[in-house]
Amino acid sequence: MDTVLTFKDLLILGVGISAIVLLIYLIRLTATLIKTLKKTNAVLDDTQVITSIAAERTKEVDAAVGDAIGVVASVASSIKGRQGVVGSVTTLAAAVGALRELLVDLGILRPKAAPEAEENDTEAEKFEDEYTGE
């Protein structure tokens, strides 16, 4: 029994093998795309959280800057002589206070400690002195 293999048969066999290889390649590509989409969704979720935090901080800083601009304008008008000496000193004190609040809001300075905490520290030091006998 002789088997005859024609060029047409070889061509069909080659196209079939190529189709199977292409199908395997597309399956692997789809799996990789699914993993990539999951990671992209996670990154977008993180970006949304960070964007909302940045928007809140921007509103806080905008309010502080608005207050600082008002104080600076008031100081400028004081310097030009539109207000008296007492008003100038008051405005300057308000400017310093607003600047300090801005620095505290930005995290550059720490807020003042409560006076009660200072009293408790002195009592603790007295107790340690009495205990050690010094």
Side-chain angles (χ1 to χ4, degrees):
M1 194 159 157
D2 292 329
T3 306
V4 176
L5 200 60
T6 64
F7 181 69
K8 183 179 177 183
D9 293 337
L10 286 175
L11 188 62
I12 291 174
L13 183 63
V15 169
I17 291 174
S18 298
I20 291 172
V21 169
L22 180 64
L23 183 64
I24 292 171
Y25 179 76
L26 288 176
I27 289 171
R28 293 186 70 193
L29 179 66
T30 305
T32 304
L33 285 176
I34 289 172
K35 290 178 187 177
T36 303
L37 285 175
K38 286 181 181 180
K39 289 180 182 179
T40 304
N41 285 338
V43 169
L44 288 176
D45 291 341
D46 289 343
T47 304
Q48 185 177 9
V49 170
I50 290 170
T51 303
S52 65
I53 291 171
E56 291 174 12
R57 299 291 183 206
T58 302
K59 289 177 184 176
E60 293 173 3
V61 170
D62 186 37
V65 169
D67 293 341
I69 289 172
V71 171
V72 168
S74 181
V75 168
S77 65
S78 297
I79 292 174
K80 290 180 181 178
R82 294 182 184 168
Q83 294 180 354
V85 175
V86 175
S88 298
V89 171
T90 304
T91 304
L92 187 61
V96 170
L99 182 62
R100 185 184 183 290
E101 287 181 21
L102 177 65
L103 294 175
V104 168
D105 288 342
L106 294 176
I108 296 172
L109 293 177
R110 286 186 279 166
K112 288 184 179 178
E116 299 160 354
E118 293 176 6
E119 292 175 6
N120 291 339
D121 291 341
T122 57
E123 292 175 8
E125 291 174 3
K126 289 179 184 176
F127 178 74
E128 290 175 4
D129 290 340
E130 292 174 6
Y131 181 73
T132 57
E134 295 178 5

